[in-house]
Amino acid sequence: MGDVTLVVVAGTTETAAIDGISAAGADPDLRVHTPSADLEIVASGRPGPGSPVPVSPGGCPTPAVVTRAVRELLGPESLPAEFVDAGLGAPTAAATRGVGAAPGGDVRDPEPVPGAATVFERARSLAPALAASGSGDDAGGDGTTELLVAETIPGGTTTALGVLTALGERAAVSSSLPANPIERKRRVVAEGLDASGLDPGGAAGDPIEAVRLAGDPVLAAVAGLLVGCADAGIDVTLAGGTQLAAAAALARHAGVDRRLPLATTSLVADDPTADLPALAGDLDLALAAADPGFAEGDHPALAAYARGEAKEGVGMGGALALADRARVTDAAVRDRIAAVTDRLLAERRASDGSGDAEPGGSTPTDGGDRR
């Protein structure tokens, strides 16, 4: 399968608190904990003390469950993971590397990411160490590994839309829920650009300005990593959907012209509101979409994914692609996802004494995005 290190870049943005924008957490108060808990689930298979199990208001578990399931099937030693704190809003028990990021502001603010340049440059410098870590050679040199770069940030498709609009790229993003509130996101982004004094396309060729005025700190960090990988000749695959495509757009506007694979799920690739195949074509991204047959499973979590909830995030599509590359059957992936979900929810009930329902409840009708 080759040497691959999963890198999950995690952060928060006040954009997630806008009504109807994000469903990454059961309610707005819990949403700030979602990225921190996602890292813990990918790292150890369970949230740390004080971290909630991230679920949507409809009961769909976080995509981190899928990524964790694949890590367990492959063996954690076969898919080592690194975590980058790009503006976490709550503590995490997972070991992280910092890039000097603070939580992002509301995309409607005049300057939602004032530290974009610092985050970008520190992430750029971090790329060689991340590639060396998976090979056990922290000193660098020839002991490098391919990086599979993922994200977790509630409200991130809206800030991705902001960046794409600021760059003058195709202004379409996905949603993790069946009803994509794309017009609501466009209104939010338009309000933000107006507050920043930036016209659509006004940051073309200036990726740091696009993030500073219309993005989030995770996008700054991922774009910096992509540029750092290009500088050092490190192979990298983007594990995600339209948010990672927005990060790729930033890298293109920073001068990166090398091949960039984008590994996502069929749930995102087939979303007509996102138009991801066209965006990938615009940006010269090698798009691959994984489909583990969620609809063929009989577990409530699988049914929720099949309905279009939590279409992507936390490296879900990239992890599924690795499972396929390792010839793990779709049935084995589905079974492990169900087992990880059951374990998480059983531990949550045991810890808080609640009788919370299994995943698969009703889907919010006003839309929103998992990321």
Side-chain angles (χ1 to χ4, degrees), residues 34-52:
T34 293
S36 302
D38 280 343
L39 299 187
E40 293 162 351
I41 290 168
V42 173
S44 64
R46 55 182 50 83
S51 292

Side-chain angles (χ1 to χ4, degrees), residues 25 46 59 69 83 94 99 102 108 126 144 172 247 249 255 266-267 286 295 298 314 330 361-362 369:
R46 55 182 50 83
F83 305 114
V99 288
R108 298 171 297 181
L126 185 60
T144 58
S266 61
L267 298 167
D298 57 4
V314 206
D330 289 344
S362 60
D369 59 5

Side-chain angles (χ1 to χ4, degrees), residues 6 38-46 63-74 76 314 319 336-337 340 343-344:
L6 172 67
D38 280 343
L39 299 187
E40 293 162 351
I41 290 168
V42 173
S44 64
R46 55 182 50 83
V65 166
V66 178
T67 302
R68 176 63 197 184
V70 171
R71 284 197 79 209
E72 291 184 4
L73 287 167
L74 299 181
V314 206
R336 187 57 64 98
I337 292 168
V340 172
R343 184 176 73 224
L344 288 174

Side-chain angles (χ1 to χ4, degrees), residues 221-312:
V222 174
L225 285 176
L226 293 179
V227 174
C229 286
D231 292 342
I234 298 164
D235 290 334
V236 60
T237 292
L238 294 163
T242 50
Q243 287 168 256
L244 273 297
L250 291 166
R252 293 296 190 220
H253 282 254
V256 173
D257 59 4
R258 69 190 304 214
R259 178 179 180 272
L260 288 174
L262 178 67
T264 191
T265 66
S266 61
L267 298 167
V268 175
D270 296 341
D271 178 0
T273 65
D275 209 9
L276 182 57
L279 179 59
D282 293 344
L283 299 171
D284 193 23
L285 307 179
L287 178 64
D291 179 6
F294 287 129
E296 299 175 28
D298 57 4
H299 190 278
L302 299 174
Y305 292 135
R307 287 195 303 270
E309 297 193 49
K311 295 182 182 73
E312 181 58 274

